[in-house]
Amino acid sequence: MSDVTQILSQIEDGDGQAAEKLLPLVYDELRKLAAEKMAQEKPGQTLQATALVHEAYIRLVDVEKAQHWDSRGHFFAAAAEAMRKILVDRARRKVRLKRGGDLRRQELDDGLIAAAGIHDDLLQLDAALEELEKRDARKAQVVKLRYFAGLTVEEAAAALGVSPSTVDRDWTYARAWLFRKMT
């Protein structure tokens, strides 16, 4: 077992100090994953990649709600899912009426620029992904692993316990299905 897998087992057993040992081992990879997610967000976000890592990490290693981690890959897939949920929740909060709803800031220098907001796209993707998950959970999981976690076909196959060709077929189908659903 790798160091990460051993520490995840200790966290699962309720060892509160194990979480402190885990962070240095996984921080760089989580930071890279968060930076990729934040790069897809609209410029000018107040949430930084570091804050996204910390919020996701807190959700993942909560000792009171100990989770079972099968492997390092399982942990990172869960981290990607936690980051996706955090970003979706932030997007939902931003479009609430209390926060200005669909009002957009208008820059005087640039005049009116009509562009679809990234938050709307993320919410639309999340809704479509939830519908796909009801129809075919594995295909939805492939999207989460490939798109949100940034895993390769081979890494996603290992995380799901299926062949790379199955992941490739699921990925192709899911992208086409989501494209059709979102357009």
Side-chain angles (χ1 to χ4, degrees):
M1 265 200 295
S2 71
D3 291 343
V4 173
T5 306
Q6 289 176 348
I7 293 172
L8 290 171
S9 294
Q10 292 170 359
I11 291 171
E12 183 181 329
D13 294 337
D15 183 355
Q17 294 182 354
E20 294 174 17
K21 293 185 262 179
L22 178 65
L23 187 57
L25 295 176
V26 298
Y27 187 81
D28 288 337
E29 289 182 63
L30 289 176
R31 179 81 168 76
K32 181 181 170 193
L33 182 60
E36 290 171 4
K37 298 297 156 227
M38 295 308 298
Q40 297 169 358
E41 288 290 303
K42 186 176 180 181
Q45 293 295 317
T46 56
L47 181 67
Q48 298 296 319
T50 303
L52 181 59
V53 167
H54 289 231
E55 194 170 334
Y57 186 77
I58 288 169
R59 289 184 184 192
L60 292 170
V61 296
D62 185 0
V63 177
E64 294 174 11
K65 300 176 192 171
Q67 300 179 34
H68 175 71
W69 306 109
D70 295 330
S71 65
R72 185 175 194 276
H74 183 215
F75 176 78
F76 282 102
E81 178 67 10
M83 288 180 194
R84 180 183 76 84
K85 286 180 180 179
I86 291 165
L87 292 172
V88 167
D89 288 346
R90 283 183 54 82
R92 283 188 178 129
R93 279 195 304 269
K94 285 189 177 238
V95 296
R96 286 189 185 139
L97 228 34
K98 178 180 176 182
R99 306 271 185 244
D102 60 353
L103 298 178
R104 303 280 183 240
R105 178 174 290 210
Q106 180 179 346
E107 298 293 331
L108 295 176
D109 297 337
D110 298 331
L112 293 174
I113 299 173
I118 190 87
H119 298 295
D120 296 336
D121 293 344
L122 186 58
L123 292 176
Q124 188 179 10
L125 174 60
D126 184 58
L129 194 54
E130 285 179 10
E131 189 175 332
L132 177 61
E133 193 164 27
K134 290 175 187 171
R135 293 172 156 264
D136 191 325
R138 189 183 70 213
K139 286 180 177 63
Q141 190 63 26
V142 167
V143 171
K144 291 174 188 176
L145 292 173
R146 296 275 293 131
Y147 182 76
F148 290 103
L151 299 183
T152 65
V153 170
E154 291 75 19
E155 292 168 334
L160 293 173
V162 297
S163 70
S165 59
T166 298
V167 168
D168 196 39
R169 281 191 306 274
D170 287 352
W171 176 237
T172 301
Y173 176 88
R175 283 185 312 178
W177 190 91
L178 289 169
F179 178 77
R180 190 185 82 223
K181 198 67 176 167
M182 292 177 63
T183 54

